[in-house]
Amino acid sequence: MNVLMLGPGLGVQGGISAVERMTLAALPQDVRARHIATMEEGSKLWKLATYLGALARTFAARRPDVVHIHFASRASSVRKMSLARLALARGCKVIMHAHGGAYRDYWKSLSPRARAANLAVLKRVHALIVLGEGWREFFVSIGVPRERVVVLPNPVWLPAVLPLRGHAARVTFAYLGLIGANKGTFDLVEALALLPRATLDRIHVVIAGNGEHHELGRRIARHSLHGTVEVRSWLDAAQRDALLAEAEAFILPSYHEGLPMALLEAMAWGLAPIVTPVGSIPELVDADVNGLLAQPGDLAGLAAAIEWLALDDALRRRLGAAARRRVEPLAVDVYAQKLCALYEAVTCSA
């Protein structure tokens, strides 16, 4: 089987590229997958050139059995809808793969004409992969046929051996992702500022990612949290795994999400997560079972969850162990099998 995969460059920082890399590495040898980058980091001119190159290469490529297109909102959606139209016009079997937690808001922002144009594409593709049941219901509600929508949560690589986590004099919380208001990064700092000094002395928070470092630094300084919060740039896979191996808990207080790869990776490392019930996260994290939940923007609730995990070693270990068990069915080899079954089904469809 020949598969053409379209999405952001494999070196682009972000969850979609991580899914692409894992998928391509896990596909069996009888599935020959070729990836074409539709976006690369750089100037607007470079991004435009990358997209135009993707259009040309998609048009020139020998017709594959399946075209697998990863898309999110805004510019990503505009690019991918055009590529999907091109692939459909060539008679290709097309799978669209929806990512990005802000797609509901993006859809609301579109004009009626733009919605109709996008929906026409989504109704014609042979399958639409979504990250959870909530996303299935959303796409069905806007008019995508239910039988075309396939729930396939993101995959995760499972470490074979987990570190032994015992009583920690200082509890390390890891935050991985874009630094900005939408991800709740600044809420995290404001919540930490609500905690008593005795609790802060038990906490070490590592915030790693690209984005608004200046604003983050300003807030840390304003609340005198330099001794509590450590800021790092975007981590490569080895650096990420080193942090998750040494951490005791994970935190991501986002306002919008699809199904964040950082959360899956942290749970795979046996970390107790503190997250918000947005996107498909509630389908993965059960409150007080395998993690703690705080509503977006609820600083007091977020602070209470941090303090609870920081001061209760047994709770961290229990939630972390349950988190690991929860993501084991999402192992990338199982994911690849399910994806190949979908490829087969699409190629046999009318």
Side-chain angles (χ1 to χ4, degrees):
M1 180 183 297
N2 291 293
V3 176
L4 180 62
M5 185 176 292
L6 304 175
L10 299 178
V12 171
Q13 297 171 346
I16 300 178
S17 297
V19 170
E20 291 179 314
R21 290 192 299 269
M22 278 196 290
T23 301
L24 292 168
L27 289 174
Q29 292 184 350
D30 60 345
V31 176
R32 293 178 292 277
R34 178 188 178 196
H35 180 271
I36 293 178
T38 59
M39 190 278 288
E40 295 283 6
E41 300 287 4
S43 66
K44 291 182 178 180
L45 183 61
W46 177 244
K47 290 180 179 179
L48 176 61
T50 302
Y51 167 63
L52 293 176
L55 274 175
R57 293 169 67 191
T58 301
F59 182 79
R62 179 182 175 184
R63 195 171 78 178
D65 297 305
V66 178
V67 178
H68 183 167
I69 304 175
H70 297 268
F71 75 104
S73 56
R74 307 188 191 286
S76 174
S77 180
V78 173
R79 290 191 297 267
K80 307 312 173 39
M81 293 299 169
S82 297
L83 287 163
R85 291 187 189 97
L86 173 59
L88 289 166
R90 294 192 62 200
C92 299
K93 300 295 180 69
V94 177
I95 297 174
M96 297 286 282
H97 195 152
H99 302 264
Y103 200 85
R104 288 184 180 89
D105 290 344
Y106 169 69
W107 186 263
K108 292 176 184 177
S109 73
L110 294 175
S111 68
R113 182 176 179 180
R115 287 188 196 177
N118 286 356
L119 182 58
V121 173
L122 294 174
K123 291 173 73 172
R124 288 182 61 203
V125 299
H126 300 79
L128 171 64
I129 297 175
V130 297
L131 303 181
E133 292 293 341
W135 286 110
R136 189 210 306 257
E137 294 309 316
F138 165 74
F139 281 103
V140 170
S141 74
I142 66 174
V144 181
R146 181 177 291 274
E147 63 273 14
R148 300 284 181 93
V149 185
V150 178
V151 175
L152 189 61
N154 283 335
V156 68
W157 173 77
L158 297 173
V161 179
L162 298 181
L164 294 176
R165 297 184 173 95
H167 173 76
R170 226 175 156 208
V171 179
T172 297
F173 288 78
Y175 170 106
L176 297 170
L178 185 68
I179 293 172
N182 188 51
K183 287 288 189 178
T185 324
F186 307 140
D187 286 352
L188 171 55
V189 175
E190 300 300 328
L192 290 170
L194 299 177
L195 294 175
R197 174 49 56 186
T199 301
L200 289 177
D201 289 342
R202 291 286 313 278
I203 294 173
H204 175 219
V205 179
V206 179
I207 298 177
N210 54 14
E212 300 179 52
H213 279 255
H214 178 75
E215 174 62 17
L216 177 61
R218 188 184 71 80
R219 291 183 184 237
I220 292 170
R222 185 175 71 190
H223 295 298
S224 301
L225 289 172
H226 287 107
T228 301
V229 182
E230 176 188 352
V231 180
R232 302 182 189 177
S233 58
W234 189 274
L235 305 182
D236 62 27
Q239 293 169 328
R240 175 204 67 209
D241 288 345
L243 172 60
L244 295 178
E246 72 183 35
E248 297 278 340
F250 174 79
I251 189 162
L252 187 68
S254 304
Y255 285 76
H256 302 283
E257 286 291 354
L259 183 59
M261 287 301 301
L263 171 60
L264 297 178
E265 290 157 353
M267 293 175 74
W269 275 98
L271 298 184
I274 299 174
V275 287
T276 47
V278 298
S280 294
I281 290 176
E283 298 173 34
L284 187 74
V285 178
D286 295 320
D288 305 333
V289 176
N290 58 6
L292 300 180
L293 297 175
Q295 292 298 321
D298 179 7
L299 301 184
L302 183 59
I306 295 170
E307 185 168 39
W308 194 11
L309 276 192
L311 301 181
D312 194 329
D313 299 333
L315 176 67
R316 287 197 313 275
R317 290 194 294 270
R318 176 174 65 81
L319 296 181
R324 165 66 183 224
R325 290 193 298 270
R326 179 62 183 86
V327 298
E328 285 175 352
L330 305 182
V332 65
D333 55 339
V334 177
Y335 177 89
Q337 293 173 11
K338 292 179 179 179
L339 186 59
C340 287
L342 179 59
Y343 288 161
E344 293 276 359
V346 164
T347 58
C348 297
S349 64

